[in-house]
Amino acid sequence: MENGIELQKGRDTSFDKIFAYYLNPDKYTLTPKQEEIKERWLAAWTLRLKKKSPTKVAQILQETYKEQKLSRAQAFRDVQNAEKLYGNVINADRVGRMAIHYEYALEAYKKALKAGDYKAAKGFLSEMRESLPFEDNPQFNPEKLENKPVKFYVDKAVELAIAKQLQAGVLDFNNLEMEDISHEEVGNE
């Protein structure tokens, strides 16, 4: 395994092979077909950098590569693979704008401190904090994004009714054959 990738003959996708080529062009070579694909991906990436939507890029790819009989689906896959290989344009653009915003706020913060305007300096500190990517933000809590298992506890009668329906392969909560309990309607008052 070299540079984080090891190709296995016959099992790798065009993406794997092109990625490996970019990591180590001396070790990995591309077939003429893979060169064509790499060229299309580079074209897709370049168009995305020019703020073209994925739909527009796919359309342009189809027109540009008519001789390859590029389908609409393949053109969209090319856009997707280009972003995966070269980086997501939208996210890179967002992070870049945030970095610029941070630098402006930092300069303004320094000027406010130098002028003795501590109220403005505090505001610029707040701006700097907001322009950090959310992963770097101290208020970001990744534990809230975890996929935690959800447990439901039901009465034995409900459990048996669910198990009975699951034997048929379908669970229909509208026909659980359960006894309705007395209740009182509550209004929106």
Side-chain angles (χ1 to χ4, degrees):
M1 185 178 212
E2 189 172 314
N3 288 329
I5 192 161
E6 187 175 326
L7 294 178
Q8 297 173 357
K9 194 165 182 87
R11 292 186 166 209
D12 296 302
T13 64
S14 292
F15 183 89
D16 295 330
K17 291 172 183 171
I18 293 169
F19 181 67
Y21 170 80
Y22 274 115
L23 288 177
N24 191 346
D26 297 329
K27 182 176 179 184
Y28 300 106
T29 56
L30 298 177
T31 65
K33 182 69 176 170
Q34 291 164 346
E35 283 288 344
E36 285 178 8
I37 294 169
K38 181 177 71 101
E39 183 183 314
R40 286 197 322 253
W41 291 358
L42 196 52
W45 173 251
T46 304
L47 289 166
R48 287 293 283 138
L49 285 175
K50 293 180 179 177
K51 307 280 191 235
K52 303 274 187 219
S53 71
T55 304
K56 186 66 178 168
V57 172
Q59 184 182 27
I60 293 170
L61 287 176
Q62 279 187 282
E63 292 167 8
T64 306
Y65 297 98
K66 278 186 224 173
E67 73 281 354
Q68 293 180 17
K69 295 185 172 120
L70 193 65
S71 71
R72 181 174 166 84
Q74 184 58 55
F76 273 103
R77 280 192 295 273
D78 284 351
V79 173
Q80 212 172 26
N81 283 326
E83 287 187 354
K84 188 174 163 185
L85 183 64
Y86 300 114
N88 187 309
V89 177
I90 304 303
N91 192 40
D93 189 39
R94 183 180 135 285
V95 171
R97 284 193 316 268
M98 289 170 66
I100 290 168
H101 184 89
Y102 180 87
E103 289 301 318
Y104 285 155
L106 178 61
E107 286 302 311
Y109 169 76
K110 289 176 183 176
K111 287 179 183 176
L113 279 181
K114 191 173 184 180
D117 188 353
Y118 299 109
K119 186 175 181 181
K122 182 180 176 187
F124 290 122
L125 270 178
S126 176
E127 288 292 319
M128 290 162 56
R129 193 172 27 259
E130 286 179 23
S131 63
L132 288 173
F134 68 88
E135 303 91 7
D136 298 334
N137 192 322
Q139 294 174 345
F140 172 68
N141 183 357
E143 291 175 7
K144 290 183 178 180
L145 299 176
E146 286 180 16
N147 187 12
K148 295 182 181 178
V150 178
K151 294 182 181 182
F152 292 96
Y153 297 97
V154 295
D155 291 335
K156 191 68 173 170
V158 174
E159 181 183 342
L160 293 173
I162 290 172
K164 181 180 173 186
Q165 281 198 4
L166 283 175
Q167 289 174 348
V170 177
L171 184 57
D172 183 0
F173 283 100
N174 292 321
N175 295 313
L176 268 181
E177 299 176 22
M178 296 301 301
E179 181 181 321
D180 197 13
I181 61 169
S182 62
H183 64 281
E184 180 182 326
E185 290 287 331
V186 178
N188 291 339
E189 298 170 358

